[in-house]
Amino acid sequence: MTVDVVLPCLDEAEALPWVLARIPAGWRAIVVDNGSTDGSAAIAAGLGATVVHESRRGFGAACHAGLLASQAEFVCFCDCDASLDPGLLPGLLRSVAEGSADLVLGRRRPATRGAWPAHARAGNLALSRLLRRRTGLRLRDLGPMRVARREALLGLGLSDRRSGYPLQMVVRAADAGWRVREVDVPYLPRSGRSKVTGTWRGTWQAVHDMRRVLDEPAPVGGGRP
């Protein structure tokens, strides 16, 4: 069994040492540098990670570049800001590897007060309700920590390259009949400022991207990986 961990990265020099130290032994870390100016790419390479450079700005662009660079049977995604512990990924992988789930998401549970701002939690809750209306999935979070088989993910034909990428993955997985599950994971105070919900512009762009994804019609056909 081979596993790659895709870590989208934009100016995460402070968090990278902790994040990469938590990657499970024998797994490959793929740090996708999305235009950092703080030396993140050099730090990641020095710590033994595979570094991929993605010039097109956008969370989805970075995630998909990592997926395309992966050669493992299973691919994990995790934020690179130290808000999520990659050491917990084996717990998410287990259900996929054993065949009881096709996509497993980490449901974020704030570990400390202020780790997850109220406006961000409220937006996530509203999005979860819209997702249920669109797909029938009863998820409580659409967090960035997740695990699936690489070939199956490529088969979803993901096209969003901005903030809608994680949502599009879940929507298209649901449309294809995938078994999607959640596992609780602690959500820690992130290192640095959020590039999405940390600014009004970022929040507005994320809402716009995700609404576009939810408006996509369900395809005909499909099926479980």
Side-chain angles (χ1 to χ4, degrees):
M1 183 173 67
T2 55
V3 186
D4 285 337
V5 183
V6 174
L7 300 159
C9 177
L10 177 58
D11 293 332
E12 302 292 3
E14 181 181 346
L16 273 168
W18 183 86
V19 171
L20 292 176
R22 301 293 298 165
I23 299 295
W27 294 18
R28 183 172 67 141
I30 302 177
V31 174
V32 185
D33 188 74
N34 201 205
S36 299
T37 59
D38 66 349
S40 289
I43 291 172
L47 292 171
T50 297
V51 177
V52 173
H53 294 275
E54 174 53 59
S55 59
R56 182 177 177 180
R57 285 293 184 95
F59 183 76
C63 287
H64 204 70
L67 175 60
L68 293 177
S70 173
Q71 299 178 347
E73 181 181 2
F74 300 94
V75 177
C76 307
F77 295 86
C78 186
D79 274 355
C80 202
D81 58 10
S83 63
L84 294 165
D85 182 356
L88 300 175
L89 284 168
L92 278 69
L93 172 67
R94 190 171 299 113
S95 296
V96 180
E98 292 175 351
S100 60
D102 303 307
L103 174 63
V104 178
L105 311 177
R107 181 198 177 193
R108 294 169 289 184
R109 304 301 296 269
T112 62
R113 183 184 297 274
W116 198 0
H119 73 276
R121 291 201 308 272
N124 187 74
L125 178 60
L127 191 61
S128 297
R129 289 173 177 169
L130 291 172
L131 177 70
R132 183 183 306 175
R133 190 178 304 167
R134 166 66 174 75
T135 67
L137 288 177
R138 293 182 172 272
L139 300 179
R140 294 163 292 182
D141 187 18
L142 293 169
M145 179 180 273
R146 49 191 61 193
V147 181
R149 293 180 182 272
R150 179 176 62 88
E151 289 294 335
L153 284 173
L154 291 171
L156 292 178
L158 300 175
S159 58
D160 191 282
R161 295 296 181 264
R162 297 194 300 195
S163 301
Y165 188 88
L167 176 62
Q168 188 181 58
M169 183 186 295
V170 176
V171 169
R172 293 198 176 181
D175 287 345
W178 288 26
R179 297 160 298 173
V180 182
R181 295 185 178 175
E182 289 181 311
V183 174
D184 286 356
V185 294
Y187 193 49
L188 310 171
R190 60 159 290 130
S191 173
R193 187 181 185 186
S194 171
K195 283 77 174 179
V196 180
T197 57
T199 66
W200 281 107
R201 180 180 179 182
T203 301
W204 180 89
Q205 187 64 67
V207 170
H208 176 76
D209 292 345
M210 292 177 183
R211 185 168 294 279
R212 185 179 64 247
V213 168
L214 289 170
D215 287 341
E216 291 181 356
V220 177
R224 278 174 42 198

